[in-house]
Amino acid sequence: MDILKKVPVREQEPKIRATNFDEVCIGYNIEEAKEEASRCLKCKNAKCREGCPVSIDIPGFIKEVEAGNIEKASNIISLYSALPAVCGRVCPQESQCEEKCIRGIKGEAVSIGKLERFVADWAREHGIKPEMPIYKNGKKIAVIGSGPAGLTCAGELARMGYDVTVFEALHKAGGVLVYGIPEFRLPKNSVVKTEIDNIKALGVKIETNVIIGKSVTIDELIEVEGFEAVFIGSGAGLPKFMGIPGENANGVFSANEYLTRNNLMKAFDESYDTPIYKGKKVAVVGGGNVAMDAARTALRLGAQVYIIYRRSEEELPARVEEVHHAQEEGIIFKLLTNPTEILVDDKGWVRGIKCIEMELGEPDQSGRRKPVEKQNSEFEIELDVVIMSLGTSPNPLISSTTQSLDVNRWKCIITDEITGMTSKEGVFAGGDAVTGAATVILAMGAGKTAAKGIDKYLKMKEN
Amino acid sequence: MYKIVKKVSLASNIYLMEIEASRVAKSCQPGQFIIVKMDEKGERIPLTICDYQREAGIVTIVFQTLGSSTKRLAEYKEGEYISDFSGPLGCPSELVKESFEELRKKNVLFVAGGVGTAPVYPQLKLLKERGIEADCIIGARNKDLIIFEEEMKKVSKNVYVTTDDGTYGLKGNVNDCIKDLVQNHGKHYDLVIAIGPIVMMKYVSILTKELGIRTIVSMNPVMVDGTGMCGACRLTVGNDVKFACVDGPEFDGHMVDFDESIIRQQMYKTAEGRALLKEQEGTAHKSKNCGCSDK
Ligand SMILES: Cc1cc2nc3c(=O)[nH]c(=O)nc-3n(C[C@H](O)[C@H](O)[C@H](O)COP(=O)(O)OP(=O)(O)OC[C@H]3O[C@@H](n4cnc5c(N)ncnc54)[C@H](O)[C@@H]3O)c2cc1C
Ligand SMILES: Cc1cc2nc3c(=O)[nH]c(=O)nc-3n(C[C@H](O)[C@H](O)[C@H](O)COP(=O)(O)OP(=O)(O)OC[C@H]3O[C@@H](n4cnc5c(N)ncnc54)[C@H](O)[C@@H]3O)c2cc1C
Ligand code: SF4
Ligand code: SF4
Ligand code: FES
């Protein structure tokens, strides 16, 4: 064993996995996990914890893994996170916990994410469930949205004894975890559903098919239905388009639509009713995690897939692991390229895309070198599907129907950083609805902060 | 789970269902829609709200069987349950927002085509409740496809029926009837509200533009979530791209790019669904390049 290197994790072969929706990463078995755990120095002043937005006791749980006490390890993690099997899979560990890991100074960081995932999977397979809190204070709290922010906030409040109801607009709970992130990265039935069931086991009620702002407003929840506080975790679901010619042609989709059809509605499975226009040659415009997910989904549905991104590989906002997996699977990267027009046939369907080559100029406000068009470098690619993955912003449905709820100019809800309270008393918010599109663990962190804020607020009000 | 408390067959291929859904019944307004999903494997099907009983917590939908999903929904029986019923979605009709005083000054003409007759009903009913009566044209391909005529008569000033083949009412399409009312019967209208097949709404809008009558249409593009998250329902209105599920479904008929919407509606429609719609639209279906005969 090379102490400087991570214990490699088993994955499906690229050629094989490109044709199925099973999980790419197989994960550690107990021997591998123990071996990897032994690389951890169990630091007194554990830097890794500073990198984790919910400060999981990383050396604590890893010590138990090394000793083979996986149930103990699971109990430690569950003090901090309600969705460890999810985070172990989708957290950008390389820029969070693992980035700070002392082991990483010389050699590779400890595989914290893969260990966390191992523990959570083991706990699930061995039927370990969190205990229902005995103490109940009878106070009703409404949580809007069942993504990571809402679920975490609900779970935390339930543990404190609150009577929590989560309202979800879609027919299934989970937010981006069920409609956005694909099965091959995050299995829905085994992983996501179990973690949600665990939160329900704490006594949290989930009411689906309720669109806050339409079915009922926040003001009504408080005034008519008797909720004493509200947490908004409604995410940032509104897709952007480029505004180039041809964008409304048949065969142009937002990444959200393409992914929702496939993940939430299970279009890849013939026995489900929802159709998807898969495409034979597909281009995904954008370079984030969402773009990688859309591209790898199209590939699995049988298409030849391009990623079109206007900056260079270095600037790709997606996680390194995802880019690497996409390349291995045969996705073609057209970098320093920007679409200028979607070409449409005489029946209104996509037939190709016109692009222009870019080069990197001076750094812009974000510090990244700004891409500029190269003169006379236009070219065309023949295609039948274009997927736009240009980012998302918060849906104004809630802010526009709630009195005195302040938002900024990107429609993000404004909150107090310490308590999570919005401009409206008793109403809290967190996750993508506040920050704009970010990460699962940041949303969870915000849900936790707001749960504390709500508890403090209600206790203060009592006195 | 949501219970089907009543199911009625209104015409060949057209069904009415009353569904127990108290949250929707409590808050819905005319012009809004819901999304049903029958079971685990079902699609999310958008359907307009046709009536509601707030106290009893019941919402009425009327749908036409086009392709596999609507046919599967039609197989459900009274007393059975569907797994999901979410809403209300979309914006209430313009009529709901307008003041009573403003409304009373207006002569409104409703134009209903085929299954679109059902969603016109709650709007007329709302006006009637406020003491305002409007005219209404119901158009269909033949007599068998006329629905809701009796109900409409109770809430409208005049009901005019047209059929393409002349088996009932006037022979011709709804546009022939509008022209006849305005040009030969001295009728004056300030507002037309047209709900029906997209091709009908397109041609009504072309005519009312010539006649100078402001026109509202209810668009029904392909949808997935119905909450503004996927963009499947986008359409062009004037110079803007709008999402029908959150910005609509009602729009100014003189601003909508119907040809683009007609093409977009073909995206997922099955061959059987297209064939049926084409037949339904009858003489209103004049478009040469809507793509209904290919792809
Ligand atoms: C395709 C994709 C891949 C991603 N990959 C990663 C990754 O690898 N790693 C990572 O860390 N992050 C990733 N992210 C980002 C991450 O998923 C989000 O940052 C996170 O889910 C935000 O959580 P949230 O709880 O704030 O909102 P969401 O997960 O968006 O949940 C919001 C929920 O609220 C519901 N809702 C909205 N409005 C209403 C309303 N009016 N009434 C009732 N309910 C409502 C929505 O339906 C939704 O279920 C990815 C995102 C996408 C789209
Ligand atoms: C806001 C709104 C309100 C509607 N109200 C009603 C109503 O009150 N009564 C009613 O009978 N129908 C209504 N429709 C149309 C109804 O949703 C479609 O008829 C239904 O989805 C067809 O599904 P199918 O699988 O049976 O047909 P198929 O032809 O097999 O359709 C396959 C696909 O095409 C799409 N599609 C087909 N026809 C339509 C259409 N007309 N509009 C939008 N998408 C379509 C669907 O997304 C579906 O996935 C409404 C649509 C919208 C968007
Ligand atoms: S939750 Fe995320 S950041 Fe925290 S330890 Fe786990 S993988 Fe690392
Ligand atoms: S910093 Fe690295 S080595 Fe130290 S405790 Fe954390 S994971 Fe272990
Ligand atoms: S149906 Fe998805 S945005 Fe309108």
Side-chain angles (χ1 to χ4, degrees), chain A residues 239, chain B residues 35 222-234 243-246:
Chain B
I35 285 185
V222 172
M223 292 189 175
V224 184
D225 59 304
T227 66
M229 183 264 278
C230 75
C233 62
R234 61 196 191 276
F243 287 4
C245 69
V246 284

Side-chain angles (χ1 to χ4, degrees), chain A residues 102-175:
Chain A
I102 306 288
R103 260 273 174 244
I105 298 174
K106 218 171 122 195
E108 289 179 355
V110 175
S111 234
I112 303 171
K114 298 285 187 294
L115 286 173
E116 182 179 348
R117 166 193 162 145
F118 166 76
V119 171
D121 287 355
W122 187 94
R124 180 181 67 245
E125 282 152 18
H126 290 77
I128 294 167
K129 284 211 178 318
E131 280 165 25
M132 180 102 164
I134 311 162
Y135 168 73
K136 285 222 179 317
N137 65 20
K139 288 188 192 301
K140 280 172 70 183
I141 317 266
V143 168
I144 303 169
S146 61
L151 289 175
T152 304
C153 186
E156 292 289 313
L157 288 165
R159 280 180 216 268
M160 297 177 196
Y162 289 97
D163 175 6
V164 188
T165 307
V166 178
F167 295 99
E168 169 55 50
L170 293 172
H171 58 268
K172 217 182 220 148

Side-chain angles (χ1 to χ4, degrees), chain A residues 310 336-337 357-362 369-375:
Chain A
R310 63 199 181 113
L336 288 166
T337 302
E357 288 176 23
M358 310 292 279
E359 51 198 356
L360 291 179
E362 295 297 305
R369 290 172 64 194
K370 198 180 149 88
V372 286
E373 293 184 352
K374 256 195 228 169
Q375 289 292 310

Side-chain angles (χ1 to χ4, degrees), chain A residues 286-288 292 307 309 312-319 323 333 335:
Chain A
M292 299 303 139
I307 286 214
Y309 179 61
S312 67
E313 176 155 358
E314 224 167 276
E315 286 89 8
L316 277 170
R319 289 184 60 195
V323 175
F333 283 71
L335 300 167

